Amino acid sequence: MSKVFFDELGISKPDYNLGVGGGSHGQNTGRMIEKIEDLLLIEQPDWVLVYGDTDSTLAGALAAVKLQIPIAHVEAGLRSFNRRMPEEINRILTDHIATLLFAPTDLAVHNLLKEGVDRSKIHQVGDVMFDAALAFSKKADQQSHILETLALSSKAYVLATIHRQENTDDKRRLSSIIRGLASSSVPVILPLHPRTKKQLQLFNIKVETPIRIIDPVGYLDMTMLEKNARLIATDSGGVQKEAYFHKVFCITLRDETEWKELVELGVNRLVGCDVEAIKESLLSSKALPIWDGDVYGDGCTATKIIDLMLKQEA
């Protein structure tokens, strides 16, 4: 999948690919720390820049801090306050060993200060995902043909994504989510994550009309599907934000979210795996909230991050 994103977005081929995957969280994180440390010793970087809350984020930060290399954490300060989630542990640990913390929102700054992080390390810069959404929205309009390929009309379908371990590895939750989505009065387009596909087969959960399973899609096709959906149902943190960027109402298939601002604004509803809550949201005809302002910055977050890091070097 990564090759599709590099090709579509015109990103240079990476100099290194660790080739780590297929193991448990502990196995993968340990292997990544070892391989990243080797690369840091070769490259001798001035900074290590890590993003988000994945196992690779934590591995990069741990490898750097052991070698006394400054760490910059992009998307710092997010908290779901659910420590059963591997992502929550990754983001907390990374924040507390980072040198610079680039927070996307007011709430993210508040979370860091509440945990005792030095205020001088924290910079509210906005969200780089908003930068990307603005940069590639027109390109998606011009180059994506996913709506024609799937014979979809704008605002006449629901887009769904399911991939988080808490949903895919729990038969009851996964089955309930599928039953909830099946209540839709319009097609539900489900780009199927490999983990979800495996678990649906393992649990013998049948997926029937109106849910339409499709293969995973690239960034531009996903952007097009998001922009034109009537509603988005997801357990992805990134897709929750992209729904807001494209002014599409979102229901989150989790019991909590690190993007609490969206719930407070009324543009995102937490439904967990509650069949009736999912059904009610899908069938609701109530007016959607008005999107007022840009919670995630002005689209210049990447520039701000680079400027702040260069000032640190001066």
Side-chain angles (χ1 to χ4, degrees):
M1 275 301 294
S2 61
K3 184 178 185 302
V4 174
F5 288 90
F6 282 102
D7 292 344
E8 285 187 347
L9 305 184
I11 302 171
S12 300
K13 182 180 178 181
D15 293 329
Y16 301 100
N17 186 333
L18 301 184
V20 175
S24 66
H25 285 289
Q27 289 171 332
N28 288 342
T29 304
R31 292 167 186 162
M32 284 187 283
I33 292 172
E34 181 179 7
K35 292 193 174 188
I36 292 170
E37 181 181 68
D38 289 342
L39 294 179
L40 296 180
L41 290 171
I42 293 170
E43 294 291 339
Q44 296 290 310
D46 296 315
W47 285 89
V48 168
L49 183 72
V50 295
Y51 175 87
D53 55 20
T54 63
D55 289 344
S56 58
T57 304
L58 178 59
L62 286 172
V65 75
K66 295 287 187 179
L67 296 174
Q68 299 183 357
I69 301 171
I71 302 159
H73 185 201
V74 179
E75 205 178 78
L78 303 189
R79 298 292 183 269
S80 68
F81 301 101
N82 178 1
R83 293 203 176 194
R84 293 172 299 172
M85 293 175 56
E87 295 89 348
E88 184 79 349
I89 302 303
N90 292 342
R91 61 173 74 108
I92 290 171
L93 294 176
T94 300
D95 281 341
H96 283 271
I97 58 176
T99 312
L100 284 179
L101 297 102
F102 296 120
T105 64
D106 290 335
L107 182 55
V109 172
H110 172 76
N111 290 336
L112 293 169
L113 293 174
K114 192 174 180 180
E115 291 176 8
V117 176
D118 188 333
R119 183 66 181 85
S120 66
K121 294 182 176 183
I122 305 168
H123 300 272
Q124 185 178 343
V125 293
D127 196 305
V128 291
M129 282 188 66
F130 187 44
D131 294 17
L134 292 177
F136 292 105
S137 180
K138 287 185 178 179
K139 189 172 184 179
D141 290 339
Q142 295 165 355
Q143 297 188 15
S144 173
H145 303 287
I146 190 72
L147 297 186
E148 295 87 342
T149 300
L150 298 177
L152 296 172
S153 299
S154 182
K155 305 304 176 183
Y157 64 90
V158 168
L159 175 65
T161 74
I162 312 165
H163 80 281
R164 285 198 180 266
Q165 181 178 321
E166 64 191 271
N167 286 329
T168 61
D169 292 2
D170 185 320
K171 182 178 181 179
R172 180 190 66 85
R173 289 187 67 93
L174 186 56
S175 178
S176 295
I177 288 170
I178 294 297
R179 285 191 289 121
L181 293 175
S183 66
S184 174
S185 60
V186 296
V188 177
I189 306 303
L190 177 60
L192 197 59
H193 190 283
R195 177 194 292 155
T196 313
K197 180 179 181 180
K198 176 184 176 183
Q199 295 303 105
L200 286 171
Q201 294 171 344
L202 177 66
F203 296 143
N204 194 29
I205 298 173
K206 294 183 179 180
V207 180
E208 300 175 340
T209 306
I211 301 174
R212 291 176 55 185
I213 289 176
I214 64 172
D215 290 333
V217 296
Y219 183 81
L220 297 181
D221 282 343
M222 188 64 178
T223 297
M224 203 65 178
L225 287 171
E226 289 171 345
K227 289 174 63 173
N228 288 279
R230 174 187 293 185
L231 178 144
I232 292 173
T234 187
D235 60 8
S236 162
V239 175
Q240 289 175 57
K241 286 187 296 179
E242 288 169 342
Y244 172 74
F245 300 157
H246 301 307
K247 295 181 170 56
V248 178
F249 190 74
C250 179
I251 62 172
T252 295
L253 307 169
R254 289 167 51 191
D255 300 324
E256 71 286 308
T257 179
E258 54 274 21
W259 302 109
K260 301 181 188 300
E261 301 89 354
L262 300 179
V263 177
E264 292 171 1
L265 285 171
V267 298
N268 188 340
R269 181 186 179 193
L270 290 173
V271 295
C273 63
D274 187 316
V275 176
E276 291 305 313
I278 296 170
K279 181 178 180 179
E280 178 189 343
S281 297
L282 291 175
L283 301 179
S284 175
S285 59
K286 66 181 181 180
L288 296 182
I290 297 173
W291 271 248
D292 184 17
D294 294 323
V295 174
Y296 298 107
D298 56 7
C300 299
T301 295
T303 301
K304 294 174 184 176
I305 289 171
I306 296 300
D307 288 346
L308 285 165
M309 292 181 70
L310 289 173
K311 286 179 182 177
Q312 290 286 319
E313 290 295 294

